[in-house]
Amino acid sequence: MTYELDRDTAVTSLGDGRYAAELAPGWVVGGGVNGGYVLATLANAVAAELGALVPEKQHVDPFSVTSHFVTPASPGPAVVTCELVRSGGRFSTVRATLSQEVDGALVPRIATHSTFGNLDTAHDERSDAEAASLGLALEPPVLPAPEDCLDSQDAPEDFKKIAPLLDRFGTRFDPPTAAWRDGNPSRRGLIQGWFKLADDRPLDPIALLVVVDALPPVTFDLGMPGWAPTLELTAHVRARPAPGWAIVRHQTRTVAGGLFEEDCDVWDAGGRLVAQSRQLALQPR
Amino acid sequence: MTYELDRDTAVTSLGDGRYAAELAPGWVVGGGVNGGYVLATLANAVAAELGALVPEKQHVDPFSVTSHFVTPASPGPAVVTCELVRSGGRFSTVRATLSQEVDGALVPRIATHSTFGNLDTAHDERSDAEAASLGLALEPPVLPAPEDCLDSQDAPEDFKKIAPLLDRFGTRFDPPTAAWRDGNPSRRGLIQGWFKLADDRPLDPIALLVVVDALPPVTFDLGMPGWAPTLELTAHVRARPAPGWAIVRHQTRTVAGGLFEEDCDVWDAGGRLVAQSRQLALQPR
């Protein structure tokens, strides 16, 4: 069986660091294609390029991916252009841009750098022991059981029509952070819940790039419905996730000057912090 | 009068998006040149390039700068290569790499994308009013007066020899978060204090790129002295800072797998959040 995410983020080498992709209509939300999905597609190209250039290093996992969203992506063909910046012993950094053809010209959608390594071998035992002795690890929020949370797929039909993306996810919102669905946003700037992919594809480091952008904009909880375009999103993958329900939290602390930051933390089913991201986004108009 | 930061981050156009810089020895700390200083130098080149390419847009301020630190920079000549990714109405995105010549080859030090705009005009009045009505703004920590804090320049002479950087800053540490200086780290993963440049140069958006990397690694407060190399640092400038003492806070919440994130928040003298950054860094060995 092929999972949706694998099928829809597949890339094909065109040589010279160029990869062809096909952005699928199932990941559309509102006017554009979901940013995390575009990022995972691009990351597949980066992984393939590193596999071709420095196969012996096994730099297969994204540690940090920084993305500037310069224009909104559309469903359809796309090309990812990769260029190796530097390959060291533990990490390799690749510059990659995903572009789409518009009226015969190649228009950049996201411009990125990614630092890849290997989550299984990058760290050393001494630092692991030291870290464990500190006990410094961001704790997940305490949530009601998934069956007591609100299913993101229970959305009005007319909303689902413009957001086929909802069918890709099995998000269950923590009820107090989803009261905006009933017109009562908490105004705390917090949305959290359980997360899995709808077809139960197990999460892995590249899928975490989707997870960090899977919840609705945290501005929904501030009484600002509408599209909140991302200017820039940086994702850090901190560990390989264990199977099962993940927990995702989106939070903002400062809305000012027409912009807000959206911090996302993701924990795996074992309660381990596996990814963090921050995006700078435009306040909905 | 010329301030140190302006003199030491000056760039000269070489044409074709290339800019010459000279990294000054005064910004060295331990084995390398301070990352925030290198970033400010690069940002000056990006600002110059945008001033040359799209002068009418006045995209003079960094909103988001994402930087992958691929090799440590040294004092001496450097070149910044800029390439415009996309210029829109409110924002322009530039890809820029700062490199240095080593044995006749140009070696990249930091590989970046920057989204610039104009902090005075990017936002609209309606979103400002909406944001104000929310009252959502990260509050600065309450600190003792600067004169009751610990001067970062009061360091042992042998330490100051390997860290001339200390003479550039007028940092005053909040005492409980600087007890590592006496061998008693709090182990909370928190360092905070007042900040100004030593020569009282007023802070501006580009100087904030220095401020977010101006405190020692937060691992000092975890009982891990030593160099904590940055893999990647993303800085967001949120507002133009008011004159006077800034407040800077460095914090980590998860040390694991040989890595930690270091979050930095900066407030201006009026208590307004003016910059945020997160870096992913290697735990000191």
Side-chain angles (χ1 to χ4, degrees), chain B:
Chain B
M1 132 160 221
T2 305
Y3 293 111
E4 288 178 334
L5 185 67
D6 298 303
R7 187 189 65 218
D8 294 346
T9 62
V11 296
T12 312
S13 173
L14 302 169
D16 290 329
R18 295 172 67 246
Y19 292 82
E22 179 78 27
L23 300 183
W27 300 84
V28 163
V29 54
V33 179
N34 173 255
Y37 161 66
V38 177
L39 219 48
T41 305
L42 174 140
N44 273 338
V46 171
E49 182 67 1
L50 286 171
L53 293 181
V54 285
E56 71 287 0
K57 295 189 180 175
Q58 289 287 310
H59 289 171
V60 297
D61 298 315
F63 276 65
S64 169
V65 181
T66 59
S67 320
H68 294 249
F69 286 68
V70 292
T71 59
S74 312
V79 62
V80 183
T81 310
C82 300
E83 190 186 344
L84 183 67
V85 175
R86 176 88 185 172
S87 184
R90 292 167 76 188
F91 300 103
S92 297
T93 300
V94 173
R95 177 181 300 132
T97 304
L98 183 141
S99 307
Q100 292 187 297
E101 208 177 295
V102 180
D103 299 332
L106 213 52
V107 175
R109 300 307 194 196
I110 57 172
T112 71
H113 284 102
S114 301
T115 293
F116 270 56
N118 192 305
L119 284 165
D120 299 324
T121 59
H123 49 281
D124 59 70
E125 284 176 23
R126 197 181 121 204
S127 55
D128 274 5
E130 245 186 336
S133 77
L134 283 167
L136 204 66
L138 188 63
E139 292 284 332
V142 176
L143 303 179
E147 55 273 21
D148 297 324
C149 288
L150 303 171
D151 192 329
S152 63
Q153 297 197 3
D154 289 344
E157 280 308 316
D158 53 347
F159 183 73
K160 289 183 80 166
K161 259 182 218 149
I162 61 157
L165 178 71
L166 290 185
D167 290 331
R168 308 282 80 71
F169 299 151
T171 311
R172 304 290 169 85
F173 296 115
D174 181 23
T177 71
W180 43 269
R181 306 209 316 178
D182 306 315
N184 299 311
S186 83
R187 296 186 179 271
R188 289 181 300 162
L190 173 68
I191 301 180
Q192 62 190 19
W194 301 95
F195 180 85
K196 66 179 187 70
L197 288 163
D199 62 3
D200 290 310
R201 177 194 186 279
L203 298 179
D204 61 15
I206 285 183
L208 289 175
L209 302 176
V210 178
V211 183
V212 297
D213 197 35
L215 297 192
V218 73
T219 36
F220 278 23
D221 185 53
L222 297 174
M224 300 174 181
W227 194 38
T230 303
L231 274 190
E232 180 267 314
L233 185 152
T234 292
H236 295 165
V237 175
R238 303 295 299 272
R240 202 176 295 289
W245 280 104
I247 288 180
V248 188
R249 178 174 64 193
H250 270 202
Q251 199 161 14
T252 187
R253 293 183 179 87
T254 298
V255 181
L259 294 158
F260 65 101
E261 91 283 0
E262 180 168 270
D263 286 343
C264 178
D265 299 298
V266 184
W267 295 265
D268 70 8
R272 176 148 78 152
L273 181 78
V274 290
Q276 291 188 297
S277 76
R278 174 174 289 165
Q279 57 176 286
L280 187 64
L282 294 173
Q283 197 177 326
R285 295 203 178 207

Side-chain angles (χ1 to χ4, degrees), chain A residues 206-278:
Chain A
I206 285 182
L208 289 175
L209 301 175
V210 178
V211 182
V212 298
D213 197 35
L215 298 191
V218 75
T219 35
F220 278 23
D221 185 52
L222 296 174
M224 300 175 181
W227 194 37
T230 304
L231 273 190
E232 180 267 316
L233 185 152
T234 292
H236 295 164
V237 176
R238 303 294 298 272
R240 200 175 295 291
W245 281 105
I247 289 179
V248 188
R249 179 174 66 194
H250 270 202
Q251 201 162 14
T252 187
R253 294 183 179 86
T254 298
V255 181
L259 294 158
F260 66 102
E261 90 285 0
E262 178 167 89
D263 286 343
C264 177
D265 299 298
V266 184
W267 296 265
D268 69 9
R272 176 147 79 151
L273 181 79
V274 291
Q276 292 188 298
S277 76
R278 175 173 289 164

Side-chain angles (χ1 to χ4, degrees), chain A residues 172-215:
Chain A
R172 304 292 170 85
F173 295 114
D174 181 23
T177 71
W180 43 269
R181 304 207 320 177
D182 305 315
N184 298 311
S186 83
R187 297 187 179 269
R188 289 180 302 162
L190 173 69
I191 300 180
Q192 61 190 18
W194 301 95
F195 181 86
K196 66 179 186 69
L197 289 163
D199 62 3
D200 289 310
R201 178 194 186 278
L203 298 180
D204 61 14
I206 285 182
L208 289 175
L209 301 175
V210 178
V211 182
V212 298
D213 197 35
L215 298 191

Side-chain angles (χ1 to χ4, degrees), chain A residues 160-182:
Chain A
K160 287 183 83 165
K161 259 182 219 151
I162 61 157
L165 179 71
L166 290 185
D167 291 330
R168 308 282 81 71
F169 300 151
T171 310
R172 304 292 170 85
F173 295 114
D174 181 23
T177 71
W180 43 269
R181 304 207 320 177
D182 305 315

